[in-house]
Amino acid sequence: MNLFEMATVQFNKAADMIKLDPMVRTVLSEPQNEIIVNFPVMMDNGSYRLLKGYRIQHNNTMGPYKGGIRYHESVNLAEVKALAAWMTWKSALMQIPFGGAKGGVTLNPREMSTSELRRVTRRFTYALGNNIGPEYDIPAPDVGTGSREMVWMMDTYMTMFNASDRNATRRVVTGKSVLNGGSLGRDKATGQGVVFCLDVWAKHLGFEIKGLTFFVQGYGNVGSFAARIMQSRGAKLLSACDHTGAIGDAGQIDADDLAAYVAQTGGVKGYPRAKEISLPAFYGTKADVFIPAALECTVNVETEGYIKAKYVIEGANGPTTVDAEKRLLDRGIVVIPDILANSGGVTVSYFEWVQNKNSATWDLETVDDELGRMMRRASTAVIEEMTERKCDPRTAAMALALMRVEEAYKERGIFP
Ligand code: NAD
């Protein structure tokens, strides 16, 4: 099953449950636009590479297309389509006036110099042309990209369009540096959202974050901030893994110290204050909470059996396969789904877009307060839906999102 087929299984399950209108179901079964560009970039040694870039615009019924840009060697059409669909559901679930999109370029950013990545980003932005825009389709960071790439995209877009009114277009991307129009709190937003979300579930299920033990897969933007914020709330990090390896077996790991080490070395491998452990040992960490925050399908039928955690909260998009999720649920493990748990990123991206539009800057307290309010509202709604329908958390979250998009379609009808 490819990733889009997996997203479709999740969609169909919720659509069946709510008896989604057949017209809406047909319309939502594929993305609205699938843009593929092949663009040349000069490497530092003077040679040229032809790179493949994607922008999938899944749906814009609820507002402009919105979603991240991924740089990874395994980026492919089915993956980007799935990620774009999840963005539509995420925005609808969070009641953010955006639709869903996703993009990416198939490359390994670790094999490229800064100047090569800058040329890739600028040329990809140029190739996308007016397929993106501040009121039309608004990219953001994802795996392998960050504020640096977003500022390059913004600058390229500003140079290409609206020369006389350049600042009006800076909201063409979100996740920018604060200096270049980004929002305070955007860097930690997804990790912060994971913890705000877990707070609501903790209250519902009768536990507290303080004193919990947890482990994290992926120590990039989402994983490292989630770990550090969990630790600041009194939880203990017991193990971590990323593309370089897995570490643990050392009691509590200092999440801040590990983040500083990863920033310096590029990965968790060799961290001196923990031991290297195998992947089965990592998945089998005896902890309360598992936060997958790397790539998709890491929790699958091969790894699921090792997991002893009571709660899985999905920082990543699509980390749990359909079969693995079924087994986890059968074992009584609570799986808090991606479209809810990691929606802090798109939520603060929305705040950034609003600030840019109004030439405003919010302080961090305002950003955190608003994010907390929106995460609590959505998490509470998912728990209520799940309880009422006696379904699993993902199907409840998908159902809420689908019902909103369905309602919007029914009011508007289909052109002509
Ligand atoms: P990132 O590039 O900052 O970090 C990715 C992490 O995954 C790195 O630590 C990397 O080493 C690790 N990784 C890569 N391959 C791995 C492997 N085979 N095994 C274990 N670890 C591996 O990316 P990010 O922004 O933190 O995104 C992580 C996940 O969260 C993705 O699924 C992304 O779509 C999702 N997400 C990100 C945001 C955001 O705001 N950045 C928002 C919502 C969801």
Side-chain angles (χ1 to χ4, degrees):
M1 194 188 288
N2 69 36
L3 205 63
F4 188 65
E5 288 164 348
M6 176 172 135
T8 302
V9 171
Q10 297 171 348
F11 169 80
N12 283 336
K13 188 173 177 191
D16 288 346
M17 184 178 80
I18 63 167
K19 299 187 173 55
L20 184 68
D21 182 284
M23 173 274 280
V24 179
R25 191 173 181 138
T26 305
V27 171
L28 293 175
S29 64
E30 287 285 337
Q32 288 172 338
N33 306 314
E34 301 178 16
I35 301 154
I36 302 181
V37 291
N38 294 300
F39 59 97
V41 178
M42 192 178 77
M43 299 290 106
D44 289 344
N45 66 7
S47 68
Y48 285 86
R49 267 182 76 179
L50 193 65
L51 293 168
K52 195 176 279 295
Y54 301 87
R55 187 69 183 167
I56 305 301
Q57 297 167 332
H58 180 263
N59 195 276
N60 67 350
T61 304
M62 311 300 273
Y65 299 112
K66 183 87 190 84
I69 300 280
R70 177 173 292 195
Y71 286 177
H72 194 274
E73 61 270 30
S74 68
V75 164
N76 62 74
L77 181 60
E79 176 187 80
V80 189
K81 280 172 69 173
L83 292 164
W86 287 326
M87 286 306 299
T88 300
W89 316 139
K90 206 180 290 186
S91 299
L93 176 62
M94 292 307 290
Q95 296 178 268
I96 290 170
F98 283 147
K102 204 81 178 193
V105 182
T106 314
L107 59 81
N108 181 350
R110 293 190 187 87
E111 283 173 357
M112 287 193 176
S113 68
T114 303
S115 55
E116 286 171 340
L117 286 170
R118 189 174 59 235
R119 287 196 292 277
V120 167
T121 305
R122 287 190 179 282
R123 190 64 203 238
F124 179 46
T125 309
Y126 177 80
L128 290 174
N130 59 10
N131 286 303
I132 58 170
E135 301 290 339
Y136 180 63
D137 182 355
I138 305 139
D142 191 71
V143 174
T145 61
S147 59
R148 184 182 67 168
E149 285 74 16
M150 293 307 110
V151 170
W152 289 335
M153 282 192 95
M154 174 197 78
D155 187 69
T156 309
Y157 187 88
M158 280 175 150
T159 309
M160 287 162 58
F161 299 106
N162 289 40
S164 61
D165 192 12
R166 285 165 57 95
N167 278 319
T169 57
R170 63 163 49 187
R171 66 182 186 281
V172 66
V173 289
T174 58
K176 303 179 290 287
S177 65
V178 173
L179 211 56
N180 270 301
S183 177
L184 289 170
R186 176 60 184 91
D187 51 358
K188 67 166 181 144
T190 310
Q192 178 73 72
V194 166
V195 182
F196 280 144
C197 175
L198 190 61
D199 258 333
V200 179
W201 286 83
K203 204 163 168 201
H204 170 66
L205 296 167
F207 65 89
E208 273 187 25
I209 291 185
K210 190 168 183 222
L212 280 182
T213 52
F214 69 102
F215 61 115
V216 179
Q217 179 173 53
Y219 218 72
N221 173 282
V222 179
S224 68
F225 276 111
R228 290 160 68 185
I229 297 164
M230 287 286 283
Q231 179 172 285
S232 74
R233 296 280 309 275
K236 294 187 181 80
L237 175 66
L238 297 190
S239 67
C241 88
D242 67 6
H243 71 287
T244 64
I247 56 157
D249 209 10
Q252 184 178 358
I253 297 171
D254 183 335
D256 293 311
D257 189 54
L258 180 60
Y261 177 83
V262 171
Q264 242 177 20
T265 64
V268 302
K269 192 182 170 76
Y271 179 65
R273 283 166 285 287
K275 292 186 194 137
E276 192 160 343
I277 57 172
S278 68
L279 276 180
F282 167 77
Y283 282 107
T285 302
K286 288 195 189 94
D288 303 304
V289 179
F290 174 35
I291 310 177
L295 297 175
E296 47 271 2
C297 301
T298 55
V299 181
N300 51 46
V301 287
E302 275 149 41
T303 57
E304 171 276 329
Y306 297 116
I307 295 173
K308 300 185 185 77
K310 296 195 264 301
Y311 316 102
V312 176
I313 180 157
E314 296 184 335
N317 285 308
T320 313
T321 66
V322 172
D323 292 344
E325 180 172 29
K326 191 174 175 308
R327 293 187 192 184
L328 289 171
L329 295 173
D330 286 348
R331 288 205 278 137
I333 296 171
V334 179
V335 183
I336 306 172
D338 45 11
I339 61 167
L340 174 66
N342 71 32
S343 60
V346 70
T347 303
V348 178
S349 272
Y350 166 57
F351 299 162
E352 178 177 332
W353 186 81
V354 169
Q355 289 172 70
N356 289 169
K357 199 163 169 147
N358 296 331
S359 298
T361 52
W362 298 4
D363 57 30
L364 185 58
E365 203 184 346
T366 307
V367 171
D368 279 349
D369 283 354
E370 277 299 291
L371 174 62
R373 186 181 65 77
M374 289 176 69
M375 292 302 307
R376 281 190 290 278
R377 179 176 69 182
S379 303
T380 305
V382 170
I383 289 169
E384 283 171 4
E385 189 72 14
M386 175 185 89
T387 311
E388 202 172 299
R389 292 192 187 262
K390 299 187 177 51
C391 66
D392 59 89
R394 188 183 317 279
T395 308
M398 286 286 299
L400 281 173
L402 284 179
M403 286 189 293
R404 288 182 187 137
V405 179
E406 177 185 39
E407 214 42 48
Y409 264 108
K410 280 188 176 165
E411 280 184 15
R412 289 160 71 139
I414 299 287
F415 176 83

